[in-house]
Amino acid sequence: MPANSRHLIGSFILLALLAGVTKALFFNSSLPPADFTFVNESEIKSLDPAIVTGSPENRIINAVFEGLTKLHPETLKPIPGLAKSWDISDDLLTYTFHMREEARWTDGSPVVATDIHYSMRRFLGPRTAAEYAYQAWYIKNAHNYSLGAKGIRAGDPVEVELNLPVDAINTWRGEIVHAKLLAVEQKSESDDQRVFVVEIDGKPVRYRPVDDEHAAENKPPANTRWCRQVLLDFREVGIEVIDPLTLRITLENPTPYFLNLMGFYPLFPVNQKCIETFGSPQWAKPENIVTNGPFNVEFRRIRDRIRLRKSGTYWNRDTIRLNVIDALSVDAVTTSLNMYMTDTADWVTEAPGPALRILRQQQPPRNDLNPAPFLSTYFYLLNTARKPLDDIRVRRALSLALDRKEITSKILAAGEVPALGFVPPGITGYESQQTAGYDPEEARRLLAEAGYPEGKGFPRLDILYNTHEMHQTIAEVIRKQWQRELGISISTRNEEWATYLASQRQMKYNISRRGWVGDYADPNTFLDMFVTDSEQNSTGWSNAEYDRLIAATGKEANPAVRMQLFQQAEKILLDELPILPIYFYTSKNMVKPYVRGFYNNVQDFHPLWAIWIDRESGETNEFMRTKGQP
């Protein structure tokens, strides 16, 4: 603990200790201590890389799985992972990955190119419903495969997946019949009883997709066969196994950050045998899961911790310095700070605002706190499928009545910057766009024009946020601002992490808190979220010109022109406001001085494989030496 931390926060720490005493006692179990303990915020949704999107999941999955590449802990540049090397064609479209002979799954079997092929097929498959599937759409024909029946046209080679018995494990695939699509028979746009006419051995065959139970209990119509689904033939997707240790990936267009994506956790390989033995979600349970990363999941205790242990099968295990890691599940940031101050945790991702303000003012400056800007935006989603949020005047009124400076100056305490744009500053060559700032008079005029003078007749909406003290405080302040400036009544609603994510995805909300950390240093990681068919676009908003501009950036070779296209797209987003940017994040990590290999960087990403403990040298650690400036 830093020398000056004993003389700290007076009455606030006493309150923190009282608030955290029950949790602290809960965590002080009889378990042998871990080498490194950190607070991982919310309870994770799953360990399945394909179906999660949150930072708590990211930290654990990056510890137990590994992709073809991984990201350097300081620079975030892609470095060899499962692939020891790669070749890139002159036209920048073809990547040939050469995999390590020594890479192993925890069941002892080798990690080979077919594992990547299987995992990418699963990730892109429409039945998986991966929210991050669009991150692999840079691969040739991957988008059309993900679209399922919507991605095929007459003349395309297709794969017809046949039905399985109703008691089959839910991760199995049915028998695949390869064919050519001749036609799709559909009575109307809303008719879900489509029949696919395909050519097999020179003869037309009719297939109608139904679920397995329906297929088992009912005979198909005359001259028609049941199937599960009809997709583009995956052999058309640009993922090719050359040999057990060589994989070739072909892209639609040059993608400068593609190697970074190969180190992004949703695209990590998973073990087919494990998945098809246990089914979903059971395969991802600690007692069943088979992984390939530097750590194994030893156990998971809900509302307590995930314990990780150094893997004995990891190809680079001799460089891993931590043997045991505890990732604690703690929603309350006050409790997190208490655990840090009482040496129960070595790293917390956030301290509460009032405490952080005092901590930053201490003299001499603390040696465990180093806030830095990074590529991340805090914003609200607006459900434009619901009235009155379908009216652009209402959305603009809500934005203009939002006093962002009040939030950053009075609530937050780490130097956060009010956001009038969505793409954070700091991306080389990009000029962030902005919407209009605080203007309550214009907000009232627009609301009256929309039919709600002084807020009269405006329906009661609510703000959804995941359980977290700061999200609650911000929601309450914004609720009061809108009531004060517009005369409208807004309530707040919190849900635990997994439920909150489901509500967002299913659009069971009016207004919802959201935060986004860039997956790579490019405007695309922010702006492609809101194209019409993105799984991340949970607003109901669609704009054809926006879609066209984002698509054009993928084909544009000139970097300056590409950035201009992004700027035009961001301007449309900020003109139509299906989202309300609120502020740009600043990291709030508190890290013990003896923790090494932990860097400030532009994505606030801190892989556990790089961390080690040094209690002897007394040298300033990497965290305090780096500022994380974008």
Side-chain angles (χ1 to χ4, degrees):
M1 177 176 287
N4 58 6
S5 65
R6 300 289 183 187
H7 308 288
L8 190 53
I9 311 176
S11 59
F12 181 85
I13 272 294
L14 290 176
L15 290 172
L17 288 168
L18 289 171
V21 65
T22 302
K23 191 81 173 182
L25 288 173
F26 182 67
F27 278 97
N28 288 334
S29 68
S30 58
L31 281 172
D35 301 326
F36 177 72
T37 300
F38 73 99
V39 173
N40 196 35
E41 303 169 19
S42 301
E43 189 70 51
I44 67 169
K45 175 182 174 182
S46 173
L47 288 172
D48 181 348
I51 65 169
V52 295
T53 58
S55 294
E57 292 85 357
N58 181 1
R59 298 183 192 105
I60 304 301
I61 290 172
N62 261 287
V64 300
F65 287 99
E66 184 169 273
L68 289 169
T69 67
K70 55 186 181 180
L71 303 183
H72 189 281
E74 180 179 11
T75 66
L76 301 179
K77 292 182 178 179
I79 59 178
L82 289 174
K84 61 184 179 182
S85 64
W86 48 82
D87 305 312
I88 306 175
S89 62
D90 291 340
D91 62 4
L92 307 180
L93 292 178
T94 302
Y95 289 69
T96 304
F97 293 94
H98 307 285
M99 298 176 64
R100 301 179 185 277
E101 294 181 3
E102 64 272 32
R104 292 289 182 274
W105 295 103
T106 48
D107 65 2
S109 60
V111 184
V112 292
T114 51
D115 291 318
I116 310 293
H117 185 275
Y118 164 80
S119 301
M120 293 296 290
R121 184 174 187 165
R122 173 179 181 263
F123 177 62
L124 288 166
R127 295 176 74 92
T128 303
E131 291 186 51
Y132 265 131
Y134 68 92
Q135 294 289 24
W137 290 352
Y138 306 102
I139 299 172
K140 181 182 177 181
N141 286 327
H143 189 190
N144 285 342
Y145 185 80
S146 275
L147 289 176
K150 296 179 180 178
I152 53 178
R153 300 290 182 270
D156 286 345
V158 296
E159 54 185 39
V160 181
E161 182 186 358
L162 304 185
N163 292 96
L164 287 166
V166 292
D167 59 351
I169 292 175
N170 65 358
T171 49
W172 290 0
R173 294 198 82 209
E175 179 185 346
I176 299 299
V177 176
H178 296 284
K180 183 175 79 171
L181 182 65
L182 298 178
V184 180
E185 298 176 357
Q186 185 174 6
K187 296 177 182 178
S188 68
E189 284 292 326
S190 60
D191 183 11
D192 61 355
Q193 298 185 5
R194 288 174 294 183
V195 173
F196 296 84
V197 184
V198 302
E199 181 183 296
I200 301 174
D201 296 330
K203 298 179 181 180
V205 181
R206 294 159 52 87
Y207 282 99
R208 180 180 149 196
V210 295
D211 61 47
D212 295 334
E213 185 175 354
H214 185 94
E217 296 178 354
N218 300 274
K219 290 184 178 181
N223 302 316
T224 303
R225 303 176 186 179
W226 297 138
C227 70
R228 272 185 147 197
Q229 58 182 343
V230 181
L231 309 170
L232 180 70
D233 192 326
F234 194 73
R235 294 177 297 187
E236 298 297 303
V237 177
I239 303 171
E240 181 183 3
V241 174
I242 305 302
D243 61 48
L245 294 176
T246 310
L247 185 80
R248 180 178 296 151
I249 297 181
T250 303
L251 307 183
E252 292 279 2
N253 301 287
T255 305
Y257 42 83
F258 183 70
L259 289 174
N260 296 71
L261 287 174
M262 290 296 97
F264 184 38
Y265 73 92
L267 282 74
F268 287 177
V270 289
N271 187 275
Q272 180 176 359
K273 181 180 178 181
C274 175
I275 290 174
E276 294 183 350
T277 298
F278 296 104
S280 182
Q282 290 79 12
W283 78 266
K285 304 292 184 184
E287 61 270 23
N288 299 328
I289 195 167
V290 174
T291 58
N292 71 329
F295 297 94
N296 300 337
V297 182
E298 184 167 314
F299 63 79
R300 177 185 180 185
R301 293 180 180 172
I302 303 298
R303 293 181 294 277
D304 179 359
R305 74 190 68 205
I306 294 174
R307 172 156 284 196
L308 307 176
R309 187 172 293 275
K310 179 179 173 179
S311 173
T313 56
Y314 179 56
W315 66 270
N316 204 21
R317 56 191 174 276
D318 291 343
T319 66
I320 307 301
R321 303 203 199 185
L322 296 174
N323 288 308
V324 180
I325 298 174
D326 275 348
L328 308 181
S329 173
V330 182
D331 285 312
V333 290
T334 300
T335 303
S336 297
L337 177 61
N338 174 64
M339 299 178 78
Y340 183 84
M341 292 298 179
T342 55
D343 295 329
T344 307
D346 304 304
W347 165 34
V348 293
T349 60
E350 184 176 359
L356 190 61
R357 190 171 288 109
I358 297 171
L359 291 165
R360 291 187 69 201
Q361 294 172 354
Q362 280 191 274
Q363 293 298 327
R366 295 182 64 87
N367 60 357
D368 62 349
L369 180 64
N370 189 13
F374 66 103
L375 298 177
S376 188
T377 307
Y378 190 106
F379 60 104
Y380 276 1
L381 299 169
L382 301 180
N383 187 342
T384 65
R386 292 186 177 181
K387 294 184 178 298
L389 299 175
D390 61 336
D391 190 326
I392 192 171
R393 296 168 297 184
V394 171
R395 301 197 298 270
R396 287 176 178 168
L398 292 175
S399 181
L400 291 167
L402 185 57
D403 187 349
R404 295 163 174 87
K405 288 185 178 179
E406 180 182 7
I407 294 168
T408 57
S409 63
K410 295 183 179 179
I411 301 175
L412 305 172
E416 293 86 350
V417 177
L420 293 176
F422 184 51
V423 180
I427 296 176
T428 302
Y430 187 75
E431 183 178 340
S432 299
Q433 304 299 292
Q434 292 190 343
T435 189
Y438 183 52
D439 189 344
E441 183 176 345
E442 175 64 7
R444 287 188 285 272
R445 187 192 72 77
L446 284 168
L447 198 66
E449 185 180 301
Y452 306 102
E454 299 178 348
K456 295 176 182 177
F458 195 86
R460 188 177 183 90
L461 304 180
D462 61 12
I463 299 171
L464 171 67
Y465 60 91
N466 58 295
T467 304
H468 188 289
E469 296 157 53
M470 190 59 67
H471 302 331
Q472 179 181 5
T473 302
I474 291 172
E476 287 294 334
V477 169
I478 290 175
R479 179 186 68 79
K480 291 176 182 177
Q481 289 179 355
W482 285 340
Q483 184 174 11
R484 179 182 71 229
E485 304 297 356
L486 300 176
I488 61 178
S489 295
I490 302 288
S491 59
T492 61
R493 171 168 63 99
N494 79 291
E495 294 178 344
E496 58 86 21
W497 180 246
T499 305
Y500 150 85
L501 291 175
S503 294
Q504 270 193 0
R505 185 169 186 177
Q506 297 166 19
M507 294 183 62
K508 294 179 178 179
Y509 74 90
N510 298 305
I511 303 165
S512 180
R513 172 263 160 191
R514 188 91 184 260
W516 191 257
V517 181
D519 300 318
Y520 41 89
D522 189 274
N524 191 72
T525 187
F526 291 91
L527 297 175
D528 71 349
M529 293 172 63
F530 294 102
V531 296
T532 298
D533 54 4
S534 169
E535 291 286 350
Q536 300 290 345
N537 183 1
S538 301
T539 65
W541 177 76
S542 176
N543 182 287
E545 177 63 7
Y546 184 89
D547 292 350
R548 186 195 69 79
L549 288 166
I550 297 299
T553 65
K555 301 175 183 178
E556 179 55 59
N558 185 311
V561 174
R562 183 171 176 270
M563 291 299 176
Q564 290 171 6
L565 293 171
F566 278 129
Q567 288 165 192
Q568 292 174 43
E570 186 180 17
K571 186 176 187 304
I572 291 173
L573 185 71
L574 297 174
D575 283 345
E576 299 205 3
L577 290 172
I579 62 170
L580 301 180
I582 298 174
Y583 67 85
F584 297 124
Y585 278 92
T586 300
S587 64
K588 303 178 184 68
N589 299 295
M590 295 190 72
V591 182
K592 297 290 185 180
Y594 50 74
V595 174
R596 307 301 299 272
F598 187 111
Y599 298 84
N600 266 332
N601 57 55
V602 297
Q603 289 175 228
D604 199 25
F605 173 66
H606 312 287
L608 297 172
W609 58 262
I611 292 175
W612 53 290
I613 301 298
D614 176 13
R615 297 179 184 271
E616 306 299 329
S617 70
E619 296 178 1
T620 302
N621 64 11
E622 294 81 0
F623 172 64
M624 295 303 296
R625 294 202 301 262
T626 53
K627 290 295 182 184
Q629 300 290 341

